[in-house]
Amino acid sequence: MDADAFHAQVVDQYSQHINPALAKLMNFAGFGVEVRGEGCYLFDHEGRQYLDCLGSYGVFSLGHRHPKVVEAVTAQLNALPMSGKVFFNPRQAELATRLAAISPNGLELCFFSNSGAEAVEAALKFAKGATGRTKIISTIGSFHGKTLGTLSVTGREKYRRMFDPLMPGAEFVRFPSPQEGASAWSEMVNAIDSDTAAVILETVQGEGGIHLAAPGALPAIRAKTREVGALMIVDEVQTGMGRTGRLFGCDHEGIEPDIMTLAKALGGGVMPIGATLFTESVGSAIFSENPLMHTSTFGGNPLACAAAIATLDVIEAEGLCERARLMGERMMAGLREMQSRHSDLVSEVRGIGLMIGVEFSMDEVGELVIAQMTKRGVIAAYTLNNPRVIRIEPPLIINEAQVDEAVRVFDEAITETGELLAMIA
Ligand SMILES: Cc1ncc(COP(=O)(O)O)c(C=O)c1O
């Protein structure tokens, strides 16, 4: 079958058996069929290579098919891929121990699952169960997943409306970013009271449009939760594993949450895995009477745990946190220089480490720029809750030349978009 026929067949199968509306949208945008990944590159059905600056929304921090992760998973595959669920499993034990050692103080226990939403779902159950309270404070624009529980605390009405009533008790306040000003910070602190089970927030809002918390906001929230006996849940599904230049986003200000969620990059881009880390006091409240209070058949399976252990080794051996910081600074400097020449279209470049957002002054620009970038061999995407912001989340193994290439292509894409808009104006 030639490449065009193969593409047509896959699009048709999507339309017939997956999601016709999505198939139409993706086909209209001109997307190809992915067939292979290697390092920072994804290859399509025509053999074209793309610099992956989206990395499956932060999954490919180690790039595609990192050899150390593939090797660990292959070895596990040949020994015991799935757990029998009756005996102790050494991979799960090792991973939990490693995570407890590297995560903020107090997070000694770990529940394993298979995705970000499942990790957050467990966090919400644990917070409600451990406090006996129902109020959960979340932030407008946040993204914590699309299962019924996580959707209840995801801060975008558009995704919640159709499924109301959701889990009761969720309240939304503004994310305490510098853009929202000091009032957002005090709004959040004031909302935390003695009825509050937990506050849940990302340390950098990802899908909300790459918003950093204002310095000092997270410590103030932590202090207030402690004062009133509420828990602090930090959702590090996207920010975790070195993305922001530190292992976890909460490490920048030394925050010690009661519960922390991980997923995406934890499986090294080879296996799906979710993890909910929590304190001993949360653990004893949930599990001491019934050790099976929360379970998952596939959670903590040996393949996923082997991938995550290898991932932790690679992050350390290759100094990927430091690399994210350095490459992020280079990328941001290049993008800011580009912004200065396109200030009519680009309103802000912001981010931390290799979690970078470029905000446009108009809604339609992002989509056009993404199409132009894809045409030139660089993949990026806009943030789910904020189409004005393109997010750049390349593998942390990206090198200087690849960063410069991404910036050059971004620049060309904006120039061409500007010309296009001038023509139709
Ligand atoms: C911060 C955050 N939490 C939770 C999720 C949900 O993860 P998943 O799509 O693996 O269920 C995401 C996904 O983008 C996320 O960014």
Side-chain angles (χ1 to χ4, degrees):
M1 197 185 295
D2 72 10
D4 284 347
F6 176 59
H7 181 267
Q9 183 190 60
V10 174
V11 172
D12 189 50
Q13 286 164 334
Y14 260 64
S15 315
Q16 305 270 350
H17 302 294
I18 296 180
N19 183 332
L22 181 66
K24 202 166 162 187
L25 199 72
M26 288 172 69
N27 199 32
F28 182 72
F31 292 136
V33 178
E34 58 184 6
V35 291
R36 193 166 68 83
E38 189 163 340
C40 292
Y41 295 97
L42 195 63
F43 295 83
D44 75 5
H45 63 291
E46 289 175 315
R48 282 196 70 195
Q49 94 173 24
Y50 298 84
L51 182 59
D52 191 354
C53 283
L54 174 61
S56 187
Y57 314 107
V59 168
F60 292 110
S61 289
L62 271 51
H64 292 264
R65 292 191 303 122
H66 192 289
K68 288 274 185 286
V69 183
V70 171
E71 187 186 300
V73 170
T74 307
Q76 191 62 47
L77 190 62
N78 289 323
L80 182 74
M82 289 290 144
S83 163
K85 288 288 179 189
V86 176
F87 297 161
F88 290 104
N89 186 275
R91 292 284 91 77
Q92 194 174 147
E94 184 183 348
L95 178 59
T97 307
R98 295 274 301 266
L99 287 174
I102 58 173
S103 59
N105 275 336
L107 299 175
E108 297 299 330
L109 297 169
C110 185
F111 175 81
F112 290 113
S113 53
N114 312 286
S115 66
E118 281 175 82
V120 175
E121 198 74 43
L124 296 173
K125 279 182 74 178
F126 294 176
K128 290 181 74 168
T131 60
R133 303 174 183 175
T134 52
K135 178 168 150 182
I136 309 267
I137 297 168
S138 183
T139 54
I140 297 164
S142 62
F143 189 85
H144 298 292
K146 286 182 180 163
T147 58
L148 286 174
T150 60
L151 194 55
S152 309
V153 296
T154 282
R156 184 110 191 259
E157 178 65 19
K158 179 179 161 181
Y159 291 113
R160 293 200 310 266
R161 202 176 305 127
M162 185 187 264
F163 307 102
D164 276 338
L166 291 165
M167 181 182 77
E171 286 184 20
F172 295 91
V173 294
R174 284 177 296 153
F175 186 77
S177 64
Q179 288 84 2
E180 291 286 350
S183 63
W185 167 349
S186 48
E187 186 181 314
M188 183 145 201
V189 171
N190 292 338
I192 304 166
D193 59 20
S194 55
D195 292 330
T196 307
V199 169
I200 179 165
L201 82 176
E202 299 149 89
T203 49
V204 179
Q205 259 196 355
E207 304 306 326
I210 314 293
H211 290 293
L212 277 70
L218 297 182
I221 291 160
R222 175 68 284 196
K224 184 68 186 288
T225 50
R226 284 220 167 95
E227 192 187 309
V228 300
L231 303 185
M232 183 174 188
I233 304 171
V234 171
D235 183 351
E236 298 261 9
V237 164
Q238 197 161 150
T239 46
M241 317 319 297
R243 171 69 41 200
T244 66
R246 300 288 294 264
L247 204 44
F248 305 109
C250 58
D251 289 343
H252 290 277
E253 289 191 287
I255 301 295
E256 294 176 357
D258 301 284
I259 303 179
M260 182 168 88
T261 54
L262 301 173
K264 291 196 189 286
L266 180 60
V270 173
M271 289 300 300
I273 181 169
T276 309
L277 281 77
F278 50 100
T279 59
E280 279 166 0
S281 80
V282 169
S284 70
I286 304 298
F287 291 109
S288 49
E289 271 185 34
N290 182 353
L292 302 178
M293 188 55 90
H294 191 67
T295 55
S296 162
T297 299
F298 290 125
N301 69 74
L303 281 180
C305 291
I309 293 165
T311 300
L312 298 181
D313 289 341
V314 170
I315 291 174
E316 203 181 309
E318 298 187 13
L320 292 186
C321 294
E322 178 64 0
R323 193 160 188 84
R325 191 179 67 75
L326 292 174
M327 293 302 108
E329 279 170 6
R330 188 180 182 99
M331 180 85 84
M332 210 115 67
L335 290 171
R336 288 204 167 118
E337 194 278 321
M338 174 274 298
Q339 177 199 2
S340 67
R341 283 179 290 102
H342 297 281
S343 52
D344 50 332
L345 292 178
V346 181
S347 56
E348 196 179 10
V349 174
R350 57 177 177 262
I352 182 165
L354 281 169
M355 190 163 181
I356 300 171
V358 178
E359 179 148 1
F360 296 104
S361 44
M362 288 176 279
D363 276 354
E364 310 72 36
V365 178
E367 228 165 308
L368 293 170
V369 171
I370 287 165
Q372 293 296 340
M373 288 176 75
T374 312
K375 206 170 84 182
R376 291 171 168 79
V378 175
I379 300 174
Y382 52 75
T383 52
L384 197 62
N385 290 345
N386 192 345
R388 276 194 181 198
V389 179
I390 286 190
R391 113 265 298 284
I392 316 270
E393 292 188 36
L396 311 185
I397 58 166
I398 195 167
N399 64 30
E400 283 86 351
Q402 290 162 332
V403 166
D404 297 347
E405 168 72 359
V407 173
R408 185 187 63 73
V409 165
F410 207 118
D411 198 341
E412 276 181 25
I414 293 191
T415 305
E416 186 154 342
T417 301
E419 286 166 7
L420 207 78
L421 289 173
M423 256 161 53
I424 55 176

